[in-house]
Amino acid sequence: MATISYLTRIEFEAGLAAKLPDFCGELGMTRPLLVTDAGLTALGVTAHFAGLFEAAPPVFDATPANPTEVAVMQALALYRRENCDGILAVGGGSSIDLAKGVRLLTVHPPPLKYYVAIDGGMARIKGPLPPMIAVPTTAGTGSEVGRGAVLILQDGRKLGIVSPLLLPSLAICDPELTYGLPTFMAPAVNPPAEAIALDGLARGQGAIRTAVAEGSNAEARWSMMMAAMEGAMAFQKGLGAVHALSHPLGALPGQPLHHGTLNAVLLPAVLRFNREAIGQKWARLEAILGGAPDAQIAELNQDLGLPAGLSAMGVKEARLPEIADAALHDHCHATNPRRASAADYLAILREAF
């Protein structure tokens, strides 16, 4: 078992999730709220995890694809009704982010808008928070080692709440849970985060096609889970234009657009926009990816069968100007290596359309 202490405690080993009751006990959790989604419940995953405990924990499995403040409040009500003393988040980034929102509101008054990063909310977040264990079942978001949660507020905005206090107490990274199932350029000075980002990129580049083609390939799935976790470790530098645009796109009413797919579709155009500002980093990306980064990512998207553009995802061209304006007010906007205007964002959106 690999124990990693970087920002928070991480336990990384295939089969490790079976020991969840022991880990809960270590953190003093006697009645955790299990936060997950309906898809995992339908697959029997929720029942499996609940069955590990001597007394099955209460379950909230109504996490939306893009987690909302409404769902956070519903889960919070269950947490309080069941006298829970901690949170166990099982699933993808949506479940883990929703769990972070619940954890925050167990000791802070709602609404969530008080705590959004762009309005100085980090200073309003105080500790201690109840313990939380995050168990990712996807190799995509790295939210299990992230200090932020991105949630759709009651006013319809999709914004980030960021604080070191939101880091899960413990991340259990079990590659077996994924069987069958870009931060390097940000301008902040953080060489350790850059090194981690490059290692994650190399691992992902080498494993992703195999992981998709052979869903139970243990080596590829291990590498993808590690790459996802390393990506979130590198989030300390910031996320930039890709996320500044994907957040408001993910909040479009009536269009539950997948966050990861949005990032992938936007990435080639964002890379081209940032090229003039990142200097020698472009060459380092070329060396890992085996060619021009924008072209290599576009080719990977095509190989994996992802949508050809935003229009293929159902985004209407008439919505692009409002998305561009909203990106300026996202907390990730400030960490893009090249300062973007609304016109720049609109050009990127049209290029990715």
Side-chain angles (χ1 to χ4, degrees), residues 57-137:
V59 173
F60 179 83
D61 66 355
T63 302
N66 290 289
T68 64
E69 184 169 1
V70 171
V72 168
M73 297 306 296
Q74 293 170 346
L76 177 65
L78 180 61
Y79 181 97
R80 289 175 170 160
R81 188 164 63 247
E82 294 289 341
N83 296 312
C84 295
D85 57 5
I87 301 175
L88 175 59
V90 176
S94 296
S95 293
I96 296 173
D97 277 11
L98 186 136
K100 290 177 183 176
V102 175
R103 186 188 189 199
L104 173 67
L105 294 185
T106 60
V107 293
H108 294 77
L112 287 173
K113 68 179 183 180
Y114 293 152
Y115 312 106
V116 298
I118 61 169
D119 292 333
M122 183 184 296
R124 302 185 185 102
I125 300 174
K126 310 294 182 182
L129 302 180
M132 173 179 164
I133 296 177
V135 185
T137 58

Side-chain angles (χ1 to χ4, degrees), residues 3 13 24 40 47 68 78 82 86 146 149 154 174 177 191 214 223 229 232 254 256 270 301 318 338 342 345:
T3 300
E13 183 183 348
C24 286
L40 290 182
T68 64
L78 180 61
E82 294 289 341
Q154 290 181 345
D174 182 347
L177 300 178
E214 305 171 28
S223 294
M229 187 184 74
V270 171
N301 288 347
R338 178 183 172 191
Y345 279 133

Side-chain angles (χ1 to χ4, degrees), residues 172 209 276:
I172 303 296
R209 286 179 172 86
E276 68 180 51

Side-chain angles (χ1 to χ4, degrees), residues 246-273:
S246 64
H247 290 157
L249 280 164
L252 287 173
Q255 288 184 268
L257 301 176
H258 185 262
H259 179 67
T261 305
L262 285 169
N263 289 337
V265 169
L266 289 164
L267 186 53
V270 171
L271 282 166
R272 287 189 285 273
F273 174 76

Side-chain angles (χ1 to χ4, degrees), residues 20 41 51 57 75 100 113 141 187 193 207 247 251 293 302 315 325 341:
L20 271 176
T41 295
K100 290 177 183 176
K113 68 179 183 180
T141 70
H247 290 157
Q302 184 176 14
V315 178
D325 288 337
S341 65

Side-chain angles (χ1 to χ4, degrees), residues 17 36 90 167 233 240 273 277 326:
T36 186
V90 176
L167 280 162
M233 287 178 170
F273 174 76

